[in-house]
Amino acid sequence: MPQSKYIYVVDDDLALASDVSGELVSRGYAVRTTHLPEEAVEAARNGQAEAIVIDRMLGDIDGLTLVEQMREAGIRAPVLVISGLSTVDDRIEGLRAGGDDYLTKPFELRELGARVDCLTRRLADLNATMLQVGDVSMDLINRTVRRSDRAIDLQPREFKLLEFFLRRPNQIVTRTMLLKQVWNYSLQTQTNVVDVHIGQLRRKIESAGQSRIIVNVRGEGFMLHVAA
Amino acid sequence: MSPRELFRSNAFRIALTFSVVVALLTAGTFAIIYNQVANADVGRLRAVMADEAHAAARGDDAALRQALALRLTHDFRRMDYVGLYDAGGALVFGNLPTRPAIPVDGKSHYVASYVGGPDSAGEAEPVLFVAMARADGGIVVLGRNLQELFTLRMAVARALAIAIAPTALAALAAGVFFSRRMLKRLAEINGSIGSIVEGDLRARLPAEESGDDLDRVAGSVNGMLDEIERLLDQIASVGDNIAHDLRSPVASVRARLETTLRAPDLPAKAAASVASAIRQLDRAMLTIDALLRVSSVEARRRRSAFQAMDLSAVCADAYEFFAPAAEAKGVAMSLRAPASTPMRGDFDLLREAVANIVDNAVKFTPPGGAVEIACAQVNGNPELAVSDTGCGVPIEDRERIFGRFYRARSDEPEEGWGIGLSIASMIARLHNFQLRVEDNHPGARFVMSGSVKAPLGLTPHPPGGRKPGFWRRFCRGGSGPVAA
């Protein structure tokens, strides 16, 4: 990661900004925290911003207006909007204004990190019809999955689950993220239902003595682990 | 509309009173006519006859005979009786062979049944007589047959009797017609109020263009409903704002706690507390999120109806999601649902409600047990039932577990029914469903069924059921039934 590029965290809540920055630093990013949005825009204009994490409400300033101005000025740095406004309409508004992703407060720091990871790779992924991580390949058009040369038959929901991991290699994926984004359930389940689904997926993609690729991260969640 | 309902209606009572008044007025009118015909005429006759008798008594004999003869000649109807008797009492002139037995005083006397009239053929007739003594000792008697007058009187009385019944009936019929119309409109209005009570604040009272009293009342009520709806929207946006304002500080706290948890030198005990704090925070946010989603769906529903959706698909989703975990635990899960159970509702919210109920059932069912997800159309209403063979719910807890902050078994701090059931019950209420728990012998059976529809509104809600509309609770500051 070139040191000339930074992730800009723009928030007037300094405590939150510092925690976000801590998470990103732990993921190997160079981070600059500021409560002045112009600073981030200026850096983006000069090509120094790898991505911008911006709070939608900065005191009296609307973060979205800023994103809009940035886009009009032709600045393409990926932007993650974080906001207390949580309805679908709010999210759509955020994405329309030019945000690349929208995260509702409160959030897990890990999820924010994972989304920033996605953003910094997004341009490459966006048009992909094939996902390839290690020896696992997924054809998004024909809905087929292979590990090395072995074709793997997956149920639709298992396919979606694996796709979620393949898009986030070597990142911690929490149970809440999976519940919400793979099954679209917002519940605080008291059972190990997600673990069992992952177990089933594992039996299919890790059979025949193949190495374990989805690993448990104790107390945190799961990770698709492949050698770099 | 039953006859009882009709009789109880105000409009009908007014109509009844009206028809009685009309009947009395008609009777009064006829009574005046009758009186005029019967008595006024007789009175006039009496006066005229007395005058004539006096005149007859004074005149000379020849002139009197001529006058009497003229009188009889002109009497085509044979109503006039005339008798001129000499001092000895013998008939000198006239058509009355025997002198009627009346005082000779020049005043008219009524003889109800006089026998001996010239054309009576021995029949008794009502006759008015006046007798007057003449200077020569003779007596002149003038009579007037009242039979015709009495016949007319009878005819009038009969006409009265015949006319009064149809008049009263017509008034009553008009009353029934108008009260039926009124009752129909009242029933429509009642129906609208019923659906408003059920939570459909978009409903308005039907108003016709006639601009009558009822329309004016309906107009005012509709205006009031507009205002209530506006206020509810305002409350909703206040609620939303509060929830949104909460998000930022909670986000800050959560991030801080997460960072703290990662510190390598954190003692195990402190780490456990911090982790627990994060869980509690997530729990609180889950409730607030659910409240927000329910309130936004409710607000949307006030503008547009629910979408058509399939409850079977909701059940199948829950089955697909929970079955593997149940199986891993040794709990047999089964799905019993028709190919499709159409209903109107919010798919995402119902999915969440069912997932929460099933999650709960799996959690409380020991290995070797069974959980069944079932749905069906019962009497045209969709019904969902999740049965398990777990420990069941004690009778005293069967209402409380749906409360916002209830948690059974306080000796297990992290265990319990959780907020899932309270969210599920909130979502059920939004759909006019009632969520209740029954005994499954053994285990618990959670049933979500269509509420008793109250088409006329204003009927009391079924015992044990909750008030419809989540608004009431929300507006009271979100205090559930067991918050105290």
Side-chain angles (χ1 to χ4, degrees), chain B residues 456-468:
Chain B
L456 284 175
L458 307 179
T459 47
H461 289 278
R466 286 141 190 276
K467 296 239 163 92

Side-chain angles (χ1 to χ4, degrees), chain B residues 58-401:
Chain B
R58 274 195 306 274
D60 67 66
D61 206 48
L64 177 61
R65 284 184 189 221
Q66 197 180 353
L68 291 179
L70 196 65
R71 188 186 180 93
L72 288 178
T73 317
H74 283 184
D75 177 26
F76 300 114
R77 287 179 294 171
R78 304 253 171 231
M79 302 197 314
D80 279 331
Y81 298 155
V82 168
L84 180 60
Y85 306 89
D86 60 18
L91 180 67
V92 180
F93 179 83
N95 53 3
L96 289 170
T98 50
R99 187 165 68 81
I102 53 160
V104 183
D105 55 2
K107 288 180 179 147
S108 62
H109 295 275
Y110 174 62
V111 178
S113 41
Y114 173 74
V115 184
D119 294 315
S120 69
E123 296 271 320
E125 298 163 328
V127 183
L128 204 58
F129 284 115
V130 60
M132 193 79 185
R134 281 173 59 82
D136 60 3
I139 293 170
V140 63
V141 174
L142 298 177
R144 168 85 177 204
N145 188 339
L146 294 181
Q147 187 66 54
E148 191 168 308
L149 193 66
F150 280 14
T151 308
L152 181 62
R153 201 192 274 194
M154 286 295 291
V156 168
R158 210 173 302 124
L160 170 65
I162 291 170
I164 203 156
T167 311
L169 281 179
L172 204 60
V176 170
F177 172 74
F178 283 113
S179 53
R180 278 184 101 84
R181 223 174 78 111
M182 187 68 107
L183 276 188
K184 192 171 152 268
R185 287 186 63 196
L186 284 177
E188 280 168 15
I189 287 178
N190 228 3
S192 307
I193 292 177
S195 52
I196 292 164
V197 170
E198 290 277 309
D200 179 12
L201 276 173
R202 287 172 304 119
R204 289 290 177 271
L205 304 190
E208 286 169 13
E209 294 300 309
S210 63
D212 63 5
D213 300 349
L214 214 52
D215 275 347
R216 284 213 299 276
V217 171
S220 311
V221 171
N222 285 344
M224 194 171 76
L225 285 171
D226 289 343
E227 182 65 10
I228 289 175
E229 196 179 2
R230 194 183 62 77
L231 287 175
L232 278 182
D233 281 345
Q234 222 166 49
I235 291 172
S237 69
V238 168
D240 287 358
N241 287 343
I242 291 173
H244 290 141
D245 289 350
L246 264 178
R247 284 178 187 280
S248 293
V250 170
S252 247
V253 171
R254 199 189 189 288
R256 183 42 35 108
L257 288 172
E258 255 191 275
T259 308
T260 309
L261 198 57
R262 285 183 200 178
D265 52 348
L266 194 69
K269 238 178 141 174
S273 320
V274 172
S276 162
I278 291 178
R279 264 197 306 281
Q280 297 298 325
L281 212 55
D282 286 350
R283 221 179 117 91
M285 278 322 290
L286 212 59
T287 310
I288 291 172
D289 275 345
L291 272 171
L292 271 181
R293 265 175 293 137
V294 168
S295 83
S296 82
V297 168
E298 175 131 28
R300 235 186 301 137
R301 192 166 74 95
R302 274 188 268 127
R303 278 165 198 86
S304 58
F306 275 135
Q307 299 293 305
M309 52 157 284
D310 182 7
L311 189 60
S312 289
V314 170
C315 293
D317 266 9
Y319 175 77
E320 187 216 351
F321 182 58
F322 286 101
E327 202 177 296
K329 189 184 172 183
V331 172
M333 183 171 281
S334 57
L335 173 68
R336 190 160 54 84
S340 128
T341 310
M343 62 170 283
R344 301 196 82 83
D346 186 283
F347 184 76
D348 286 340
L349 283 182
L350 278 174
R351 232 173 135 259
E352 193 172 328
V354 173
N356 274 309
I357 299 170
V358 176
D359 186 51
N360 195 70
V362 172
K363 182 183 160 201
F364 283 107
T365 303
V371 169
E372 185 198 61
I373 308 171
C375 76
Q377 293 275 7
V378 178
N379 300 330
N381 284 327
E383 186 174 302
L384 170 106
V386 176
S387 320
D388 64 54
T389 58
C391 51
V393 181
I395 287 174
E396 64 268 23
D397 286 341
R398 284 185 189 171
E399 269 285 313
R400 300 197 294 158
I401 51 169

